[in-house]
Amino acid sequence: MRSDNDTWDITSSVGSTALFVAAARALEARKPDPLAVDPYAAIFCRAVGGRWADVVDGKDTDSKLMTADFGTHFVAFQAARTRYFDDYFAQANSAGVRQVVMLAAGLDSRAYRLSWPDATVIYELDQPQVLEFKGEVLDAHDARPAAHRVEVPIDLRDDWPAALQDAGFDSGAPAAFIAEGLLIYLPATAQGELFRGIDALATPGSYAGIEEGDPMPAPAYEAAKRAEAADTDGDGAFFQLIYNEQVAKAADWFTGQGWATEATPLAEQISGLGRPLPTPGSQSAMMVQSNRLVTAIKR
């Protein structure tokens, strides 16, 4: 369960969701036609060990990620989302943006696996223990970032814009911000503060990439939490960790601040990449249908 000012490492609370996503990316990378290849995803899971290592090594066949009704579509979800934001960064790079701000960077390895133009600086913001784990694992495998990477250990419910600027961020130059797999773990008030922080730091020509999901109807949300609490298969919590709130649709909010925005339904992204959509009415379908991927460019 969440509480005010709660914190976590990579294996607890919100931190563990990064491992769930990393495991999905690792499973995608093994496919003959992957939508995105993250060579570090399996490394992170094996570094933690236990069920995370078993999933990526094919030993845990009971994991939700191995099921046809949920796992197949969750892996496709993560793969399509990853491709979308990989393309987003390529677009920002082509426009001359050389600052990247990863909000709740988690186990994102784009600083290492994507090609970045010279002079690019990537700021990764997250809980201190999450960044510590990530750095230790990558260092142990002699991984080197393809751009200048700066860690900013900060809780995004605190004054992250000040911490970012203290770390060297230049608010006079354009930047590409990303909030991927983040908003659902923030209450609506914190989402609003996050949006305002991006807008205040962004000079014209800046980009914002945002993943968002519409809140579930209250009865369905409460039922999902009860079902999850009774589930003892060891795949961890999700509905216990999200706030099921939304300050505003991202495209509407940023359009109101003068940004040019484009919202892509996740279902459209998945089907456009040739992956099947989940059966209507299923939990996977609700997850996919409520999700959007948004790109905004400050005029």
Side-chain angles (χ1 to χ4, degrees), residues 137-156:
V137 171
L138 292 170
D139 287 347
H141 287 80
D142 295 321
R144 295 293 178 266
H148 180 51
R149 175 175 172 267
V150 179
E151 292 185 353
V152 185
I154 184 75
D155 189 312
L156 292 174

mmCIF file with all atom_site columns, all heavy atoms in Angstrom, residues 137-156:
data_model
loop_
_atom_site.group_PDB
_atom_site.id
_atom_site.type_symbol
_atom_site.label_atom_id
_atom_site.label_alt_id
_atom_site.label_comp_id
_atom_site.label_asym_id
_atom_site.label_entity_id
_atom_site.label_seq_id
_atom_site.pdbx_PDB_ins_code
_atom_site.Cartn_x
_atom_site.Cartn_y
_atom_site.Cartn_z
_atom_site.occupancy
_atom_site.B_iso_or_equiv
_atom_site.pdbx_formal_charge
_atom_site.auth_seq_id
_atom_site.auth_comp_id
_atom_site.auth_asym_id
_atom_site.auth_atom_id
_atom_site.pdbx_PDB_model_num
ATOM 1   N N   . VAL A 1 137 ? 24.952 -2.367 -11.186 1.00 0.00 ? 137 VAL A N   1
ATOM 2   C CA  . VAL A 1 137 ? 24.806 -3.480 -12.129 1.00 0.00 ? 137 VAL A CA  1
ATOM 3   C C   . VAL A 1 137 ? 25.481 -3.150 -13.459 1.00 0.00 ? 137 VAL A C   1
ATOM 4   O O   . VAL A 1 137 ? 26.216 -3.974 -14.028 1.00 0.00 ? 137 VAL A O   1
ATOM 5   C CB  . VAL A 1 137 ? 23.316 -3.805 -12.343 1.00 0.00 ? 137 VAL A CB  1
ATOM 6   C CG1 . VAL A 1 137 ? 23.138 -4.800 -13.486 1.00 0.00 ? 137 VAL A CG1 1
ATOM 7   C CG2 . VAL A 1 137 ? 22.704 -4.358 -11.068 1.00 0.00 ? 137 VAL A CG2 1
ATOM 8   N N   . LEU A 1 138 ? 25.257 -1.953 -13.963 1.00 0.00 ? 138 LEU A N   1
ATOM 9   C CA  . LEU A 1 138 ? 25.848 -1.582 -15.244 1.00 0.00 ? 138 LEU A CA  1
ATOM 10  C C   . LEU A 1 138 ? 27.370 -1.488 -15.146 1.00 0.00 ? 138 LEU A C   1
ATOM 11  O O   . LEU A 1 138 ? 28.089 -1.911 -16.059 1.00 0.00 ? 138 LEU A O   1
ATOM 12  C CB  . LEU A 1 138 ? 25.253 -0.266 -15.726 1.00 0.00 ? 138 LEU A CB  1
ATOM 13  C CG  . LEU A 1 138 ? 23.777 -0.351 -16.127 1.00 0.00 ? 138 LEU A CG  1
ATOM 14  C CD1 . LEU A 1 138 ? 23.197 1.040  -16.352 1.00 0.00 ? 138 LEU A CD1 1
ATOM 15  C CD2 . LEU A 1 138 ? 23.598 -1.207 -17.373 1.00 0.00 ? 138 LEU A CD2 1
ATOM 16  N N   . ASP A 1 139 ? 27.869 -0.960 -14.041 1.00 0.00 ? 139 ASP A N   1
ATOM 17  C CA  . ASP A 1 139 ? 29.318 -0.899 -13.849 1.00 0.00 ? 139 ASP A CA  1
ATOM 18  C C   . ASP A 1 139 ? 29.919 -2.293 -13.783 1.00 0.00 ? 139 ASP A C   1
ATOM 19  O O   . ASP A 1 139 ? 31.008 -2.543 -14.327 1.00 0.00 ? 139 ASP A O   1
ATOM 20  C CB  . ASP A 1 139 ? 29.656 -0.130 -12.568 1.00 0.00 ? 139 ASP A CB  1
ATOM 21  C CG  . ASP A 1 139 ? 29.422 1.365  -12.699 1.00 0.00 ? 139 ASP A CG  1
ATOM 22  O OD1 . ASP A 1 139 ? 29.244 1.846  -13.839 1.00 0.00 ? 139 ASP A OD1 1
ATOM 23  O OD2 . ASP A 1 139 ? 29.400 2.051  -11.651 1.00 0.00 ? 139 ASP A OD2 1
ATOM 24  N N   . ALA A 1 140 ? 29.223 -3.212 -13.134 1.00 0.00 ? 140 ALA A N   1
ATOM 25  C CA  . ALA A 1 140 ? 29.731 -4.585 -13.005 1.00 0.00 ? 140 ALA A CA  1
ATOM 26  C C   . ALA A 1 140 ? 29.837 -5.279 -14.361 1.00 0.00 ? 140 ALA A C   1
ATOM 27  O O   . ALA A 1 140 ? 30.608 -6.221 -14.530 1.00 0.00 ? 140 ALA A O   1
ATOM 28  C CB  . ALA A 1 140 ? 28.831 -5.390 -12.075 1.00 0.00 ? 140 ALA A CB  1
ATOM 29  N N   . HIS A 1 141 ? 29.051 -4.810 -15.339 1.00 0.00 ? 141 HIS A N   1
ATOM 30  C CA  . HIS A 1 141 ? 29.089 -5.391 -16.690 1.00 0.00 ? 141 HIS A CA  1
ATOM 31  C C   . HIS A 1 141 ? 29.849 -4.499 -17.665 1.00 0.00 ? 141 HIS A C   1
ATOM 32  O O   . HIS A 1 141 ? 29.755 -4.685 -18.890 1.00 0.00 ? 141 HIS A O   1
ATOM 33  C CB  . HIS A 1 141 ? 27.662 -5.641 -17.192 1.00 0.00 ? 141 HIS A CB  1
ATOM 34  C CG  . HIS A 1 141 ? 26.994 -6.805 -16.529 1.00 0.00 ? 141 HIS A CG  1
ATOM 35  N ND1 . HIS A 1 141 ? 26.419 -6.717 -15.277 1.00 0.00 ? 141 HIS A ND1 1
ATOM 36  C CD2 . HIS A 1 141 ? 26.838 -8.096 -16.919 1.00 0.00 ? 141 HIS A CD2 1
ATOM 37  C CE1 . HIS A 1 141 ? 25.920 -7.899 -14.939 1.00 0.00 ? 141 HIS A CE1 1
ATOM 38  N NE2 . HIS A 1 141 ? 26.165 -8.742 -15.904 1.00 0.00 ? 141 HIS A NE2 1
ATOM 39  N N   . ASP A 1 142 ? 30.622 -3.565 -17.105 1.00 0.00 ? 142 ASP A N   1
ATOM 40  C CA  . ASP A 1 142 ? 31.448 -2.671 -17.924 1.00 0.00 ? 142 ASP A CA  1
ATOM 41  C C   . ASP A 1 142 ? 30.637 -1.935 -18.990 1.00 0.00 ? 142 ASP A C   1
ATOM 42  O O   . ASP A 1 142 ? 31.131 -1.660 -20.091 1.00 0.00 ? 142 ASP A O   1
ATOM 43  C CB  . ASP A 1 142 ? 32.601 -3.441 -18.585 1.00 0.00 ? 142 ASP A CB  1
ATOM 44  C CG  . ASP A 1 142 ? 33.592 -3.984 -17.565 1.00 0.00 ? 142 ASP A CG  1
ATOM 45  O OD1 . ASP A 1 142 ? 33.870 -3.275 -16.577 1.00 0.00 ? 142 ASP A OD1 1
ATOM 46  O OD2 . ASP A 1 142 ? 34.075 -5.112 -17.744 1.00 0.00 ? 142 ASP A OD2 1
ATOM 47  N N   . ALA A 1 143 ? 29.384 -1.638 -18.688 1.00 0.00 ? 143 ALA A N   1
ATOM 48  C CA  . ALA A 1 143 ? 28.553 -0.889 -19.626 1.00 0.00 ? 143 ALA A CA  1
ATOM 49  C C   . ALA A 1 143 ? 28.920 0.589  -19.560 1.00 0.00 ? 143 ALA A C   1
ATOM 50  O O   . ALA A 1 143 ? 29.175 1.134  -18.484 1.00 0.00 ? 143 ALA A O   1
ATOM 51  C CB  . ALA A 1 143 ? 27.082 -1.074 -19.289 1.00 0.00 ? 143 ALA A CB  1
ATOM 52  N N   . ARG A 1 144 ? 28.959 1.222  -20.709 1.00 0.00 ? 144 ARG A N   1
ATOM 53  C CA  . ARG A 1 144 ? 29.302 2.634  -20.788 1.00 0.00 ? 144 ARG A CA  1
ATOM 54  C C   . ARG A 1 144 ? 28.206 3.370  -21.550 1.00 0.00 ? 144 ARG A C   1
ATOM 55  O O   . ARG A 1 144 ? 27.812 2.952  -22.633 1.00 0.00 ? 144 ARG A O   1
ATOM 56  C CB  . ARG A 1 144 ? 30.640 2.816  -21.502 1.00 0.00 ? 144 ARG A CB  1
ATOM 57  C CG  . ARG A 1 144 ? 31.820 2.217  -20.749 1.00 0.00 ? 144 ARG A CG  1
ATOM 58  C CD  . ARG A 1 144 ? 32.093 2.970  -19.450 1.00 0.00 ? 144 ARG A CD  1
ATOM 59  N NE  . ARG A 1 144 ? 33.204 2.379  -18.700 1.00 0.00 ? 144 ARG A NE  1
ATOM 60  C CZ  . ARG A 1 144 ? 33.063 1.490  -17.738 1.00 0.00 ? 144 ARG A CZ  1
ATOM 61  N NH1 . ARG A 1 144 ? 31.839 1.081  -17.395 1.00 0.00 ? 144 ARG A NH1 1
ATOM 62  N NH2 . ARG A 1 144 ? 34.107 0.998  -17.102 1.00 0.00 ? 144 ARG A NH2 1
ATOM 63  N N   . PRO A 1 145 ? 27.721 4.474  -21.001 1.00 0.00 ? 145 PRO A N   1
ATOM 64  C CA  . PRO A 1 145 ? 26.662 5.208  -21.696 1.00 0.00 ? 145 PRO A CA  1
ATOM 65  C C   . PRO A 1 145 ? 27.161 5.818  -22.996 1.00 0.00 ? 145 PRO A C   1
ATOM 66  O O   . PRO A 1 145 ? 28.351 6.125  -23.144 1.00 0.00 ? 145 PRO A O   1
ATOM 67  C CB  . PRO A 1 145 ? 26.252 6.283  -20.680 1.00 0.00 ? 145 PRO A CB  1
ATOM 68  C CG  . PRO A 1 145 ? 27.463 6.464  -19.817 1.00 0.00 ? 145 PRO A CG  1
ATOM 69  C CD  . PRO A 1 145 ? 28.109 5.115  -19.729 1.00 0.00 ? 145 PRO A CD  1
ATOM 70  N N   . ALA A 1 146 ? 26.236 6.004  -23.927 1.00 0.00 ? 146 ALA A N   1
ATOM 71  C CA  . ALA A 1 146 ? 26.569 6.572  -25.228 1.00 0.00 ? 146 ALA A CA  1
ATOM 72  C C   . ALA A 1 146 ? 26.456 8.090  -25.225 1.00 0.00 ? 146 ALA A C   1
ATOM 73  O O   . ALA A 1 146 ? 26.612 8.728  -26.265 1.00 0.00 ? 146 ALA A O   1
ATOM 74  C CB  . ALA A 1 146 ? 25.644 5.988  -26.293 1.00 0.00 ? 146 ALA A CB  1
ATOM 75  N N   . ALA A 1 147 ? 26.154 8.666  -24.069 1.00 0.00 ? 147 ALA A N   1
ATOM 76  C CA  . ALA A 1 147 ? 26.089 10.114 -23.888 1.00 0.00 ? 147 ALA A CA  1
ATOM 77  C C   . ALA A 1 147 ? 26.530 10.403 -22.459 1.00 0.00 ? 147 ALA A C   1
ATOM 78  O O   . ALA A 1 147 ? 26.718 9.483  -21.651 1.00 0.00 ? 147 ALA A O   1
ATOM 79  C CB  . ALA A 1 147 ? 24.677 10.627 -24.145 1.00 0.00 ? 147 ALA A CB  1
ATOM 80  N N   . HIS A 1 148 ? 26.680 11.669 -22.145 1.00 0.00 ? 148 HIS A N   1
ATOM 81  C CA  . HIS A 1 148 ? 27.040 12.030 -20.775 1.00 0.00 ? 148 HIS A CA  1
ATOM 82  C C   . HIS A 1 148 ? 25.819 11.833 -19.879 1.00 0.00 ? 148 HIS A C   1
ATOM 83  O O   . HIS A 1 148 ? 24.788 12.488 -20.070 1.00 0.00 ? 148 HIS A O   1
ATOM 84  C CB  . HIS A 1 148 ? 27.509 13.480 -20.717 1.00 0.00 ? 148 HIS A CB  1
ATOM 85  C CG  . HIS A 1 148 ? 27.900 13.920 -19.340 1.00 0.00 ? 148 HIS A CG  1
ATOM 86  N ND1 . HIS A 1 148 ? 28.781 13.214 -18.544 1.00 0.00 ? 148 HIS A ND1 1
ATOM 87  C CD2 . HIS A 1 148 ? 27.525 15.006 -18.607 1.00 0.00 ? 148 HIS A CD2 1
ATOM 88  C CE1 . HIS A 1 148 ? 28.940 13.836 -17.389 1.00 0.00 ? 148 HIS A CE1 1
ATOM 89  N NE2 . HIS A 1 148 ? 28.183 14.922 -17.406 1.00 0.00 ? 148 HIS A NE2 1
ATOM 90  N N   . ARG A 1 149 ? 25.915 10.933 -18.927 1.00 0.00 ? 149 ARG A N   1
ATOM 91  C CA  . ARG A 1 149 ? 24.787 10.568 -18.073 1.00 0.00 ? 149 ARG A CA  1
ATOM 92  C C   . ARG A 1 149 ? 24.988 11.156 -16.684 1.00 0.00 ? 149 ARG A C   1
ATOM 93  O O   . ARG A 1 149 ? 26.045 10.986 -16.077 1.00 0.00 ? 149 ARG A O   1
ATOM 94  C CB  . ARG A 1 149 ? 24.655 9.046  -17.987 1.00 0.00 ? 149 ARG A CB  1
ATOM 95  C CG  . ARG A 1 149 ? 23.585 8.542  -17.041 1.00 0.00 ? 149 ARG A CG  1
ATOM 96  C CD  . ARG A 1 149 ? 23.454 7.019  -17.137 1.00 0.00 ? 149 ARG A CD  1
ATOM 97  N NE  . ARG A 1 149 ? 22.575 6.483  -16.116 1.00 0.00 ? 149 ARG A NE  1
ATOM 98  C CZ  . ARG A 1 149 ? 22.983 6.028  -14.931 1.00 0.00 ? 149 ARG A CZ  1
ATOM 99  N NH1 . ARG A 1 149 ? 24.276 6.022  -14.631 1.00 0.00 ? 149 ARG A NH1 1
ATOM 100 N NH2 . ARG A 1 149 ? 22.105 5.577  -14.047 1.00 0.00 ? 149 ARG A NH2 1
ATOM 101 N N   . VAL A 1 150 ? 23.953 11.825 -16.179 1.00 0.00 ? 150 VAL A N   1
ATOM 102 C CA  . VAL A 1 150 ? 24.007 12.461 -14.861 1.00 0.00 ? 150 VAL A CA  1
ATOM 103 C C   . VAL A 1 150 ? 22.877 11.910 -14.005 1.00 0.00 ? 150 VAL A C   1
ATOM 104 O O   . VAL A 1 150 ? 21.702 12.005 -14.380 1.00 0.00 ? 150 VAL A O   1
ATOM 105 C CB  . VAL A 1 150 ? 23.874 13.994 -14.980 1.00 0.00 ? 150 VAL A CB  1
ATOM 106 C CG1 . VAL A 1 150 ? 23.910 14.638 -13.588 1.00 0.00 ? 150 VAL A CG1 1
ATOM 107 C CG2 . VAL A 1 150 ? 24.968 14.564 -15.868 1.00 0.00 ? 150 VAL A CG2 1
ATOM 108 N N   . GLU A 1 151 ? 23.208 11.324 -12.872 1.00 0.00 ? 151 GLU A N   1
ATOM 109 C CA  . GLU A 1 151 ? 22.202 10.828 -11.947 1.00 0.00 ? 151 GLU A CA  1
ATOM 110 C C   . GLU A 1 151 ? 21.719 11.958 -11.046 1.00 0.00 ? 151 GLU A C   1
ATOM 111 O O   . GLU A 1 151 ? 22.521 12.727 -10.513 1.00 0.00 ? 151 GLU A O   1
ATOM 112 C CB  . GLU A 1 151 ? 22.766 9.695  -11.088 1.00 0.00 ? 151 GLU A CB  1
ATOM 113 C CG  . GLU A 1 151 ? 23.080 8.425  -11.854 1.00 0.00 ? 151 GLU A CG  1
ATOM 114 C CD  . GLU A 1 151 ? 23.512 7.291  -10.935 1.00 0.00 ? 151 GLU A CD  1
ATOM 115 O OE1 . GLU A 1 151 ? 23.683 7.542  -9.723  1.00 0.00 ? 151 GLU A OE1 1
ATOM 116 O OE2 . GLU A 1 151 ? 23.667 6.165  -11.438 1.00 0.00 ? 151 GLU A OE2 1
ATOM 117 N N   . VAL A 1 152 ? 20.410 12.037 -10.868 1.00 0.00 ? 152 VAL A N   1
ATOM 118 C CA  . VAL A 1 152 ? 19.814 13.041 -9.984  1.00 0.00 ? 152 VAL A CA  1
ATOM 119 C C   . VAL A 1 152 ? 18.922 12.293 -8.999  1.00 0.00 ? 152 VAL A C   1
ATOM 120 O O   . VAL A 1 152 ? 17.750 12.028 -9.282  1.00 0.00 ? 152 VAL A O   1
ATOM 121 C CB  . VAL A 1 152 ? 19.002 14.085 -10.767 1.00 0.00 ? 152 VAL A CB  1
ATOM 122 C CG1 . VAL A 1 152 ? 18.500 15.184 -9.820  1.00 0.00 ? 152 VAL A CG1 1
ATOM 123 C CG2 . VAL A 1 152 ? 19.826 14.680 -11.899 1.00 0.00 ? 152 VAL A CG2 1
ATOM 124 N N   . PRO A 1 153 ? 19.466 11.905 -7.842  1.00 0.00 ? 153 PRO A N   1
ATOM 125 C CA  . PRO A 1 153 ? 18.656 11.158 -6.863  1.00 0.00 ? 153 PRO A CA  1
ATOM 126 C C   . PRO A 1 153 ? 17.646 12.069 -6.182  1.00 0.00 ? 153 PRO A C   1
ATOM 127 O O   . PRO A 1 153 ? 18.009 12.931 -5.387  1.00 0.00 ? 153 PRO A O   1
ATOM 128 C CB  . PRO A 1 153 ? 19.708 10.634 -5.878  1.00 0.00 ? 153 PRO A CB  1
ATOM 129 C CG  . PRO A 1 153 ? 20.876 11.561 -6.009  1.00 0.00 ? 153 PRO A CG  1
ATOM 130 C CD  . PRO A 1 153 ? 20.855 12.078 -7.403  1.00 0.00 ? 153 PRO A CD  1
ATOM 131 N N   . ILE A 1 154 ? 16.378 11.881 -6.515  1.00 0.00 ? 154 ILE A N   1
ATOM 132 C CA  . ILE A 1 154 ? 15.336 12.762 -5.996  1.00 0.00 ? 154 ILE A CA  1
ATOM 133 C C   . ILE A 1 154 ? 13.991 12.058 -6.076  1.00 0.00 ? 154 ILE A C   1
ATOM 134 O O   . ILE A 1 154 ? 13.730 11.304 -7.012  1.00 0.00 ? 154 ILE A O   1
ATOM 135 C CB  . ILE A 1 154 ? 15.296 14.092 -6.817  1.00 0.00 ? 154 ILE A CB  1
ATOM 136 C CG1 . ILE A 1 154 ? 14.279 15.096 -6.245  1.00 0.00 ? 154 ILE A CG1 1
ATOM 137 C CG2 . ILE A 1 154 ? 15.017 13.820 -8.273  1.00 0.00 ? 154 ILE A CG2 1
ATOM 138 C CD1 . ILE A 1 154 ? 14.707 15.780 -4.992  1.00 0.00 ? 154 ILE A CD1 1
ATOM 139 N N   . ASP A 1 155 ? 13.154 12.297 -5.105  1.00 0.00 ? 155 ASP A N   1
ATOM 140 C CA  . ASP A 1 155 ? 11.770 11.858 -5.159  1.00 0.00 ? 155 ASP A CA  1
ATOM 141 C C   . ASP A 1 155 ? 10.998 12.895 -5.968  1.00 0.00 ? 155 ASP A C   1
ATOM 142 O O   . ASP A 1 155 ? 11.070 14.096 -5.677  1.00 0.00 ? 155 ASP A O   1
ATOM 143 C CB  . ASP A 1 155 ? 11.204 11.759 -3.729  1.00 0.00 ? 155 ASP A CB  1
ATOM 144 C CG  . ASP A 1 155 ? 9.840  11.091 -3.673  1.00 0.00 ? 155 ASP A CG  1
ATOM 145 O OD1 . ASP A 1 155 ? 8.958  11.478 -4.472  1.00 0.00 ? 155 ASP A OD1 1
ATOM 146 O OD2 . ASP A 1 155 ? 9.645  10.199 -2.825  1.00 0.00 ? 155 ASP A OD2 1
ATOM 147 N N   . LEU A 1 156 ? 10.267 12.459 -6.982  1.00 0.00 ? 156 LEU A N   1
ATOM 148 C CA  . LEU A 1 156 ? 9.587  13.395 -7.867  1.00 0.00 ? 156 LEU A CA  1
ATOM 149 C C   . LEU A 1 156 ? 8.425  14.119 -7.208  1.00 0.00 ? 156 LEU A C   1
ATOM 150 O O   . LEU A 1 156 ? 7.819  15.004 -7.821  1.00 0.00 ? 156 LEU A O   1
ATOM 151 C CB  . LEU A 1 156 ? 9.121  12.679 -9.133  1.00 0.00 ? 156 LEU A CB  1
ATOM 152 C CG  . LEU A 1 156 ? 10.259 12.217 -10.042 1.00 0.00 ? 156 LEU A CG  1
ATOM 153 C CD1 . LEU A 1 156 ? 9.717  11.393 -11.188 1.00 0.00 ? 156 LEU A CD1 1
ATOM 154 C CD2 . LEU A 1 156 ? 11.050 13.403 -10.568 1.00 0.00 ? 156 LEU A CD2 1
#
